[in-house]
């Protein structure tokens, strides 16, 4: 009898041990699964900044976020605007660095330059809407990469010639403190004579000077070439009023100008530029590539947009060979006072 009882007890102990091992194995698998889920659900801390609050730059920001979301990246965005003050931009980038963000997204040239100078080299920086990365000193930096939104100057000159064959003088206004703008103006001056154009340029340092410059340029130029200058973009409606009053067209390098009432634009949209930067950021965050392994990319997806109301105001007829590639913007415009 005692032997039978000992056997029963021994069998029970072995069964308990097997069950315990089974539970331990199950728990181990559960822990591993939970750990993997936690890993997959990581929320990245991303610092986002731009020099000014403007629809074009906001579009670049939205494109970036959409691309990250599509690539399965969950992010907590620390979104800050410098209000067109470089001192603010410097402080913002210093804070991002101090917070040890997982990545910094810098929109516009001055913002990217501040990020390059202030963000610790262990933190990747991806920029967008930078016209000339080389002139801005953004090339060859180990933790910095991104996309260029350089305007297609030669393509734009060709389009101007087809649309306005009698035009001779191209007006351009720019902020001389923005390296991207200086680079774009120099490029325009270099190429314009090839197409029979003369460039009438005025440099400014703030919005008040810009409006005064617009009143001078409109008298000397046959059209205005609106470049990707942050000051020009911020005060564009005032410039548009001046040129509409004189019935002179504005040719934009970005669709923000045609959307706001300017005659025509040809270039890559800020959304597309931002989206590509988001794809690059996703590669970095996933550990697929390091910033210095991703070449700075000039995004080229040219689109022609025409503001139909402004076209009618100016009485400009678009040739059939161009018309087939045009997207019309149906937006009311200010006819000028």
């Amino acid at each position: 009898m005692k032997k039978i009882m000992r056997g029963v007890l021994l069998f029970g102990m072995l069964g308990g041990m097997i069950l315990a091992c089974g539970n331990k194995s199950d728990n181990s698998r559960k822990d591993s699964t939970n750990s993997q889920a936690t890993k997959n659900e990581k929320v990245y801390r991303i610092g986002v900044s731009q020099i000014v609050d403007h629809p074009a730059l906001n579009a670049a920001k939205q494109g970036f976020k959409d691309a990250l979301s599509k690539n399965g990246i969950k992010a907590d965005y620390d979104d800050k605007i410098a209000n067109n003050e470089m001192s603010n931009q410097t402080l913002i980038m210093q804070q991002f660095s101090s917070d040890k963000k997982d990545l910094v997204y810098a929109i516009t040239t001055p913002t990217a330059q501040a990020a390059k100078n202030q963000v610790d080299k262990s933190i990747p920086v991806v920029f967008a809407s930078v016209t000339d990365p080389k002139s801005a000193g953004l090339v060859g930096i180990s933790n910095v990469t991104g996309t260029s939104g350089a305007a297609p100057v030669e393509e734009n000159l060709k389009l101007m010639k087809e649309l306005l064959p009698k035009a001779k003088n191209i007006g351009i206004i720019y902020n001389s403190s923005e390296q991207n703008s200086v680079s774009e103006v120099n490029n325009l001056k270099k190429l314009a004579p090839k197409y029979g154009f003369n460039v009438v340029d005025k440099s400014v340092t703030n919005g008040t000077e810009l409006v005064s410059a617009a009143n001078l340029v409109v008298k000397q130029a046959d059209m205005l070439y609106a470049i990707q200058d942050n000051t020009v973009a911020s005060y564009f409606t005032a410039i548009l009023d001046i040129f509409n009053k004189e019935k002179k067209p504005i040719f934009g390098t970005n669709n923000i100008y045609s959307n706001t009432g300017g005659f025509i634009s040809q270039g890559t949209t800020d959304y597309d530029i931002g989206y590509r930067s988001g794809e690059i950021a996703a590669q970095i965050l996933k550990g697929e590539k390091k910033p210095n392994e991703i070449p700075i990319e000039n995004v080229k997806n040219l689109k022609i947009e025409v503001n139909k109301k402004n076209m009618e105001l100016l009485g400009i007829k678009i040739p059939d060979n161009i018309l087939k590639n045009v997207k019309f913007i149906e937006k009311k415009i200010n006819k000028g006072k």
Side-chain angles (χ1 to χ4, degrees):
M1 185 68 179
K2 288 182 180 180
K3 288 181 179 180
I4 293 172
M5 289 298 296
R6 280 199 298 269
V8 170
L9 288 171
L10 182 60
F11 181 79
M13 290 174 66
L14 286 170
M17 290 173 66
I18 291 169
L19 286 172
C21 288
N23 289 338
K24 186 175 181 181
S25 178
D26 288 344
N27 289 337
S28 178
R29 280 195 293 270
K30 287 178 182 177
D31 289 345
S32 177
T33 301
N34 290 337
S35 176
Q36 185 63 36
T38 301
K39 183 178 179 181
N40 291 340
E41 292 173 2
K42 178 175 179 178
V43 177
Y44 293 92
R45 298 165 62 248
I46 299 177
V48 178
S49 189
Q50 60 201 66
I51 191 68
V52 291
D53 184 13
H54 190 274
L57 307 183
N58 294 341
K61 177 163 56 184
Q62 189 60 52
F64 177 83
K65 291 181 178 181
D66 287 351
L68 284 181
S69 178
K70 189 170 182 179
N71 279 274
I73 299 293
K74 294 184 179 181
D76 178 15
Y77 295 103
D78 188 355
D79 194 343
K80 289 182 166 45
I81 296 170
N83 297 320
N84 213 19
E85 293 287 343
M86 278 307 296
S87 57
N88 292 342
Q89 193 67 90
T90 297
L91 290 172
I92 289 168
M93 290 305 169
Q94 288 175 346
Q95 186 62 54
F96 286 168
S97 185
S98 176
D99 290 346
K100 300 188 184 305
K101 301 294 187 188
D102 293 306
L103 184 138
V104 170
Y105 178 46
I107 309 169
T108 71
T109 300
T111 305
Q113 289 174 318
K116 178 198 76 170
N117 293 331
Q118 304 301 328
V119 174
D120 189 88
K121 293 295 183 286
S122 64
I123 300 172
V125 173
V126 177
F127 61 76
S129 298
V130 171
T131 301
D132 189 345
K134 187 175 181 180
S135 295
L138 299 171
V139 176
I141 311 300
S142 63
N143 65 320
V144 177
T145 189
T147 59
S148 168
V153 179
E154 191 136 20
E155 290 91 336
N156 284 344
L157 287 167
K158 289 177 183 176
L159 186 56
M160 287 178 198
K161 198 67 180 175
E162 288 188 77
L163 287 169
L164 306 163
K166 294 182 180 179
K168 296 295 181 186
N169 298 312
I170 300 173
I172 188 166
I173 306 169
Y174 66 102
N175 189 328
S176 56
S177 66
E178 293 188 32
Q179 180 57 47
N180 55 302
S181 299
V182 174
S183 174
E184 200 161 343
V185 171
N186 289 338
N187 200 13
L188 180 67
K189 285 182 175 180
K190 178 182 176 181
L191 294 170
K194 179 180 175 182
Y195 295 89
F197 290 117
N198 176 53
V199 176
V200 178
D201 65 300
K202 297 291 181 185
S203 64
V204 300
T205 58
N206 56 55
T208 303
E209 290 180 5
L210 186 143
V211 173
S212 298
N215 279 302
L216 291 173
V217 171
V218 75
K219 302 295 183 184
Q220 303 172 44
D222 298 306
M223 73 182 93
L224 180 75
Y225 186 53
I227 62 173
Q228 297 179 66
D229 179 286
N230 294 306
T231 307
V232 171
S234 297
Y235 289 84
F236 182 67
T237 53
I239 299 171
L240 181 62
D241 286 346
I242 292 167
F243 275 76
N244 280 349
K245 183 179 178 181
E246 297 295 326
K247 300 293 189 292
K248 292 186 177 181
I250 296 179
F251 193 114
T253 60
N254 189 290
N255 71 334
I256 189 64
Y257 296 122
S258 50
N259 284 332
T260 310
F263 166 51
I264 190 170
S265 64
Q266 179 174 244
T268 305
T269 68
D270 281 281
Y271 180 89
D272 288 343
I273 294 167
Y275 193 92
R276 180 59 190 138
S277 288
E279 291 179 326
I280 290 170
Q283 286 182 293
I284 294 169
L285 292 172
K286 288 178 177 180
E288 295 172 358
K289 287 186 178 181
K290 295 179 181 178
N292 61 4
E293 296 173 336
I294 304 174
I296 292 170
E297 186 175 327
N298 184 15
V299 179
K300 279 210 170 188
N301 183 17
L302 302 187
K303 297 174 182 176
I304 302 174
E305 295 191 5
V306 172
N307 188 294
K308 190 174 180 180
K309 296 293 183 182
N310 194 261
M311 178 187 73
E312 293 169 351
L313 171 69
L314 300 171
I316 296 174
K317 181 175 173 57
I318 299 177
D320 291 339
N321 64 311
I322 297 172
L323 198 59
K324 62 184 179 182
N325 298 317
V326 165
K327 174 187 174 183
F328 281 102
I329 305 298
E330 300 279 353
K331 186 172 182 178
K332 293 181 179 179
I333 49 90
N334 190 332
K335 295 183 180 181
K337 298 177 181 178

